[in-house]
Amino acid sequence: MNADVLNFEKAGGLVAAIAQDADTGDVLMIAWMNREAFEETVRTRRAVYYSRSRNRLWRKGEESGNVQEVKSLYVDCDGDAVLLKVKQIGGAACHEGYQSCFFRELDGDALRVVGDRVFDPAAVYKK
Amino acid sequence: MNADVLNFEKAGGLVAAIAQDADTGDVLMIAWMNREAFEETVRTRRAVYYSRSRNRLWRKGEESGNVQEVKSLYVDCDGDAVLLKVKQIGGAACHEGYQSCFFRELDGDALRVVGDRVFDPAAVYKK
């Protein structure tokens, strides 16, 4: 099966997964996948991660609707990381409402917000 | 100091570090940084990682000469990952001689090499 191309044992059953916008090339986020998440991602062509904090599968967009359609998938040289080129539905990958989770740039000793906010998280997640 | 913008405790003293080509947007590799690696990266503007297998700082390019000049650095929303936009000296980030470590694409159940080999690792590392 697909998952045999990966080495899940190296990091406690998980591989790193980077999501990149297929059109712009912007790096959107990094998360984790266990074997089940990887297999479901490949099968459904939608990004499924494994949440280390919640200890369960995390079907990206399950709350917000902002799913990631997987256009192509790459495996790194030592098989412990994958790169997904995705179409980010809703325009924002970050739960804080930014297009990318990497919306802060290091500027001297401080972080400066450089990303644009696409949505208001309070409205989307109804917390 | 700079490193206080990151949460090193979440994953045993390490944060994930993604290197992206500053010009092309290609994702080159993923590695890890401890606090010392991060601080040296910021100070020297050259990528320094922490090798989990060798348990020591890994100054990218120390053997091959293919250093990564850091053009800008971003921190993700929860502070446990950084994104480096780099100029990859030598044209290849991967120790196997490819521009990117993600040189294999999942194609059905198999991996297909899609990257171009920039150098012969046997010649560069003299193994």
Side-chain angles (χ1 to χ4, degrees), chain A residues 1-2 5 10-11 16-18 20 25-27 29-30 32 38 42 45 52 71-83 85 94-96 100-111 114, chain B residues 1-2 5 10-11 16-18 20 25-27 29-30 32 38 42 45 52 71-83 85 94-96 100-111 114:
Chain A
M1 172 47 207
N2 290 305
V5 299
K10 202 165 161 188
I18 302 163
Q20 181 180 30
D26 291 336
V27 173
M29 57 180 285
I30 177 170
W32 302 90
F38 177 75
V42 171
R45 308 301 287 181
R52 294 179 298 174
K71 300 303 180 184
S72 52
L73 189 153
Y74 305 82
V75 174
D76 81 341
C77 45
D78 49 5
D80 64 354
V82 298
L83 171 65
K85 293 196 181 180
C94 183
H95 71 289
E96 294 196 26
S100 166
C101 292
F102 296 94
F103 62 86
R104 299 176 298 169
E105 182 175 0
L106 188 66
D107 184 3
D109 278 1
L111 292 177
V114 293
Chain B
M1 172 44 211
N2 290 304
V5 297
K10 202 166 160 188
I18 302 164
Q20 181 181 29
D26 291 336
V27 173
M29 58 181 284
I30 177 172
W32 302 89
F38 177 75
V42 171
R45 307 302 286 180
R52 294 178 298 175
K71 300 303 181 185
S72 52
L73 190 154
Y74 305 82
V75 173
D76 82 340
C77 46
D78 49 4
D80 64 353
V82 298
L83 171 66
K85 295 197 180 179
C94 183
H95 71 289
E96 294 197 25
S100 165
C101 293
F102 297 94
F103 62 84
R104 299 176 297 169
E105 182 174 359
L106 188 66
D107 183 4
D109 277 1
L111 292 178
V114 292

